[in-house]
Amino acid sequence: MKPDNTSKYAANRFSIAPMLDWTDRHCRYFHRLLTNETLLYTEMVTTGAIIHGKGDFLAYNQEEHPVALQLGGSNPQDLATCAKLAAERGYDEINLNVGCPSDRVQNGRFGACLMAEPELVAQCVASMREVVDIPVTVKTRIGIDDQDSYEFLTDFVSIVAEKGGCEQFTIHARKAWLSGLSPKENREIPPLDYPRAYQLKKDFSHLNIAVNGGVKTLEDSLVHLEHLDGVMVGREAYQNPYLLAQVDQQIFGLDKPVKKRSQVVEEMYPYIEAQLSKGAYLGHITRHMIGLFQAMPGARQWRRYISENAHKPGAGIEVVETALAKIPQELNV
Ligand SMILES: Cc1cc2nc3c(=O)[nH]c(=O)nc-3n(C[C@H](O)[C@H](O)[C@H](O)COP(=O)(O)O)c2cc1C
């Protein structure tokens, strides 16, 4: 599918997956310097945290747009309350997590186990849609446990689309085992089944369908985009963030120069300084930048210098400057 920059789901053509503990606001700011167009997802935030928690769980930087809030929950009223707060704060999309298999999430009766309750998911989506104008989307798996037939998936999607009004689904193209596997194993062991996601788009051509799971290159992304509306990349975008530097050109078709890695590091300086002056801790920002020079000469020294120094009390921008100086200048990367 060709880029359609006029659709309200245009950004969804390429997105970075919600990843707990990884895609926090510092990470998203850094990713945004690499790509203007990519849709960024927050980590999953539970309705309980937003409604009862101490602290601002909806905080983000304005530079992050377009940014989607991923919610974890299954109480339609609570989800509506949180969606409304998020829309008021300017988020561009609300996404409901129907893919996480962790025990903690299952105890709260949300995440992947909700695939077995499509009527409830439809109610959740409908009650959020009633109170916000931004898209309300769902991220799900292709099945859970032994409920892994194509019909199980299509029943889920048709109920959530027809009764809930959901128009966009991101399909993590592997099923989840709700017991027996850790969340990490559940991202590795169940096999990927991209043709199932492609078939879903054929059978629900009016819906916006994005695929997720195991995508490592922009070339692979373009292959998926021949069948689907969007591609969501998780671990590879985090571990090898320079992948993002050509997304605007290769995926969104924009004609603009590709930033160098060192330029992106330098563009982080004002943000880092501003965050440090507000009491942030250097290591919390730089940990997301560790993979930037992956496979380049000097990468190990960059990584090591940051890992050994950014957590020290009082560590400041000089740590990043010194780490950057470990990359041979003549490489001009
Ligand atoms: C550290 C980590 C945390 C994750 N947290 C979430 C989450 O909060 N919400 C969610 O829907 N998926 C979460 N996921 C799953 C990813 O969004 C994605 O579906 C999965 O990693 C597969 O995509 P990938 O192969 O491109 O990484 C997480 C994955 C990782 C590695």
Side-chain angles (χ1 to χ4, degrees):
M1 269 153 235
K2 295 263 174 290
D4 170 9
N5 296 332
T6 59
S7 151
K8 68 175 167 171
Y9 296 115
N12 163 66
R13 182 170 167 81
F14 192 88
S15 62
I16 302 178
M19 290 179 280
L20 212 53
D21 199 36
W22 287 9
T23 53
D24 62 17
R25 65 198 174 90
H26 300 317
C27 176
R28 299 191 304 265
Y29 186 94
F30 169 58
H31 285 168
R32 179 58 73 221
L33 290 177
L34 286 152
T35 164
N36 260 328
E37 307 298 317
T38 299
L39 175 61
L40 305 179
Y41 280 85
T42 68
E43 314 166 80
M44 177 183 74
V45 186
T46 64
T47 52
I50 295 171
I51 296 172
H52 306 293
K54 292 199 177 73
D56 182 2
F57 290 88
L58 296 176
Y60 69 99
N61 307 290
Q62 284 307 318
E63 291 83 352
E64 291 171 32
H65 288 294
V67 58
L69 174 72
Q70 189 188 56
L71 287 174
S74 61
N75 177 303
Q77 282 74 40
D78 289 351
L79 284 164
T81 302
C82 294
K84 192 158 187 291
L85 289 171
E88 285 164 3
R89 296 285 289 270
Y91 278 94
D92 299 291
E93 174 188 319
I94 308 290
N95 177 266
L96 182 64
N97 183 332
V98 187
C100 178
S102 83
D103 290 343
R104 190 176 67 85
V105 157
Q106 283 186 60
N107 290 338
R109 196 175 159 223
F110 59 94
C113 62
L114 284 177
M115 273 201 95
E117 300 189 69
E119 300 282 346
L120 175 60
V121 175
Q123 274 179 39
C124 291
V125 171
S127 59
M128 288 189 273
R129 288 186 75 240
E130 244 166 58
V131 294
V132 299
D133 292 329
I134 54 176
V136 176
T137 67
V138 166
K139 176 170 180 276
T140 188
R141 299 267 185 153
I142 56 175
I144 41 171
D145 296 335
D146 293 324
Q147 296 175 293
D148 60 0
S149 66
Y150 183 60
E151 288 64 37
F152 176 73
L153 177 63
T154 54
D155 282 352
F156 175 82
V157 167
S158 58
I159 292 170
V160 176
E162 279 160 32
K163 298 193 177 170
C166 184
E167 295 172 349
Q168 192 218 302
F169 292 81
T170 298
I171 309 291
H172 182 177
R174 49 163 65 91
K175 72 171 180 180
W177 287 101
L178 295 181
S179 55
L181 294 188
S182 69
K184 184 167 184 290
E185 290 167 330
N186 256 315
R187 294 193 285 268
E188 290 162 1
I189 294 175
L192 285 160
D193 188 349
Y194 298 129
R196 198 158 274 203
Y198 298 170
Q199 189 59 43
L200 199 64
K201 176 65 192 175
K202 280 194 188 139
D203 293 336
F204 296 86
S205 56
H206 58 294
L207 298 178
N208 180 297
I209 309 274
V211 72
N212 166 244
V215 181
K216 291 194 186 302
T217 64
L218 300 188
E219 291 70 32
D220 289 349
S221 304
L222 287 167
V223 172
H224 290 309
L225 287 168
E226 286 170 19
H227 304 271
L228 294 155
D229 303 287
V231 176
M232 172 187 272
V233 180
R235 289 163 289 186
E236 190 65 18
Y238 188 84
Q239 285 155 358
N240 176 24
Y242 198 63
L243 166 85
L244 303 171
Q246 295 205 36
V247 167
D248 294 355
Q249 296 82 348
Q250 291 194 28
I251 307 287
F252 289 92
L254 299 186
D255 182 15
K256 58 189 256 199
V258 175
K259 282 187 191 174
K260 297 206 159 65
R261 296 168 179 84
S262 50
Q263 180 186 350
V264 176
V265 174
E266 285 164 4
E267 286 180 6
M268 279 297 283
Y269 292 169
Y271 177 78
I272 294 175
E273 302 266 31
Q275 292 296 318
L276 293 180
S277 72
K278 288 185 203 162
Y281 168 66
L282 182 68
H284 286 168
I285 305 173
T286 52
R287 71 194 184 99
H288 306 301
M289 301 165 64
I290 294 255
L292 184 63
F293 291 93
Q294 200 192 82
M296 305 303 302
R300 190 181 306 156
Q301 289 87 330
W302 152 267
R303 249 191 344 256
R304 188 188 298 157
Y305 193 82
I306 289 190
S307 308
E308 288 176 357
N309 295 286
H311 64 280
K312 292 184 178 159
I317 199 78
E318 67 288 346
V319 170
V320 191
E321 287 168 337
T322 309
L324 183 58
K326 310 266 174 205
I327 306 292
Q329 286 271 322
E330 62 278 13
L331 287 177
N332 192 25
V333 288

